[in-house]
Amino acid sequence: MNENAMIIETIIKAVTILAVFSALAGFTTYIERKILAFMQRRLGPMHVGPAGVLQIAADGIKLFTKEDFIPQNAVKPIFKIAPVITAATAFIALAAVPILPEFILPFTDYVVRPIVADINVGILFVLGAMSVGMYGPLLAGMSQSNKWGLLGAARTVIQLLSFEVVTGLSLIAPLMMIGSLSLIDINNYQTGGLSDWLIWSQPVAFILFLIAGFAETNRTPFDLLEHEAEIVSGYATEYSGMRWGLFFIGEYANLFTVSFLVSIIFLGGFNPLWFIPGGIMILLKISFFIFLFLWVRAAWPHVRPDQLMWFCWKVLMPVAVINILITGIVLI
């Protein structure tokens, strides 16, 4: 492939991912409302379009047309850039995630690899990009001249930093077995079928990574960053319109990123299983984890901040370290 063709293909992939996952973020809000309504014996969106499906369009129009309010005493440049950081880092993280297996374009012999940047430290890049997203809520809370926003920003830093450590430690054990940081290599390590899935040899790492994923994506029971049970809205207290929307587009994009990571690292990725093609398998796994995130929100209460920190540092952290030690002893 010549250089120009590679550049064009990369741009097309980047734009496609941006468009598809932005649309999926909006559609997931509709699915979430319908699933929560079903579990709580309510109806959810019903009146705008068939089964309320056009509620997504109504919400989008509202966000785009709502007044863009900026507090008088806010640090305006930082206040404006904070939501962009959150959304941008979420989509940048997706750049190193293989979305589907390779396929050939119809009527051509052109092979398409559905990953924007196949780098040999893919998992490190994804986790690093998601970690930088922490600066969005942090700067938002610090810039808005609101003590509740500032407290929300402080809570953000505490939670995200703590669970990023758990995320990193939980992945060390499976990466010791694979010997590579590339998500393609991790997927290829499990090509032998169901018995080769890493969840069987690393069940503790799977559980730790999944719990940390709930915390890093601001999902119940760890949704302390923008706590919906409070009168104020944490770091997003002073935001409205599309700036507010960018925070939650980033949140739902991270939801898909974590679902992809769990599926690729522990559940065989996009390898075919029995008669089911690899592309269908990865979509089924992603759908299951998205549903799991929504199910937990309907079923679990919120956790107090002190309980969250206790659980992270005194339970998850020691278990992750012990899992690394046991894995190292077994490999030796």
Side-chain angles (χ1 to χ4, degrees):
M1 182 190 303
N2 62 50
E3 186 176 349
N4 290 335
M6 186 180 296
I7 292 172
I8 293 170
E9 181 183 342
T10 303
I11 292 173
I12 291 172
K13 289 178 184 176
V15 172
T16 302
I17 285 178
L18 189 62
V20 168
F21 284 96
S22 295
L24 282 175
F27 185 68
T28 306
T29 61
Y30 168 77
I31 295 296
E32 180 167 19
R33 293 167 73 178
K34 295 297 280 189
I35 289 176
L36 292 178
F38 173 76
M39 292 183 174
Q40 297 164 357
R41 302 186 72 179
R42 298 185 287 110
L43 294 177
M46 285 292 294
H47 299 292
V48 188
V53 72
L54 293 181
Q55 185 66 48
I56 310 165
D59 290 342
I61 293 169
K62 180 186 75 173
L63 287 178
F64 276 106
T65 56
K66 201 170 183 181
E67 181 184 2
D68 184 17
F69 176 81
I70 300 176
Q72 183 177 1
N73 296 321
V75 184
K76 291 181 174 56
I78 298 177
F79 185 87
K80 293 177 180 178
I81 200 68
V84 179
I85 293 173
T86 299
T89 52
F91 287 108
I92 290 169
L94 279 166
V97 176
I99 306 299
L100 294 168
E102 293 182 357
F103 62 91
I104 300 175
L105 284 178
F107 311 112
T108 69
D109 57 354
Y110 191 82
V111 178
V112 177
R113 305 183 69 212
I115 179 172
V116 176
D118 181 12
I119 51 180
N120 58 1
V121 289
I123 185 66
L124 195 61
F125 176 86
V126 174
L127 296 181
M130 290 179 69
S131 298
V132 174
M134 173 193 71
Y135 286 100
L138 174 60
L139 293 175
M142 293 177 66
S143 67
Q144 62 189 244
S145 187
N146 181 309
K147 62 182 178 182
W148 306 116
L150 182 60
L151 289 172
R155 196 160 56 183
T156 298
V157 177
I158 293 168
Q159 176 174 321
L160 293 184
L161 282 178
S162 300
F163 279 91
E164 280 165 12
V165 177
V166 175
T167 301
L169 288 176
S170 67
L171 288 180
I172 289 176
L175 292 177
M176 288 165 61
M177 299 176 60
I178 298 165
S180 173
L181 292 171
S182 167
L183 286 166
I184 300 292
D185 291 343
I186 294 171
N187 178 82
N188 294 340
Y189 183 84
Q190 305 169 82
T191 52
L194 189 64
S195 60
D196 277 4
W197 288 7
L198 277 173
I199 189 174
W200 311 122
S201 55
Q202 289 292 335
V204 175
F206 168 75
I207 294 170
L208 290 172
F209 187 80
L210 192 58
I211 292 174
F214 274 90
E216 287 206 60
T217 53
N218 187 26
R219 300 297 301 183
T220 304
F222 305 136
D223 57 337
L224 301 180
L225 312 187
E226 188 272 327
H227 202 294
E228 62 185 21
E230 296 175 348
I231 296 174
V232 295
S233 188
Y235 64 86
T237 298
E238 300 283 8
Y239 281 92
S240 64
M242 202 57 213
R243 295 191 201 280
W244 180 89
L246 283 173
F247 279 119
F248 295 93
I249 288 175
E251 181 180 314
Y252 281 97
N254 281 329
L255 202 66
F256 280 96
T257 303
V258 170
S259 299
F260 269 107
L261 291 180
V262 176
S263 303
I264 292 171
I265 297 171
F266 295 102
L267 296 177
F270 46 78
N271 291 306
L273 182 65
W274 302 316
F275 61 89
I276 308 174
I280 302 297
M281 279 304 302
I282 190 69
L283 293 179
L284 289 174
K285 294 166 189 173
I286 299 304
S287 301
F288 169 76
F289 282 111
I290 294 296
F291 174 74
L292 180 64
F293 278 107
L294 307 185
W295 185 7
V296 170
R297 180 177 178 182
W300 284 75
H302 302 294
V303 178
R304 288 201 323 258
D306 61 307
Q307 294 173 329
L308 180 67
M309 290 298 103
W310 179 88
F311 183 58
C312 176
W313 291 101
K314 293 190 175 181
V315 178
L316 300 182
M317 198 77 65
V319 170
V321 173
I322 291 169
N323 188 48
I324 294 169
L325 290 174
I326 293 173
T327 302
I329 292 168
V330 170
L331 291 176
I332 291 172

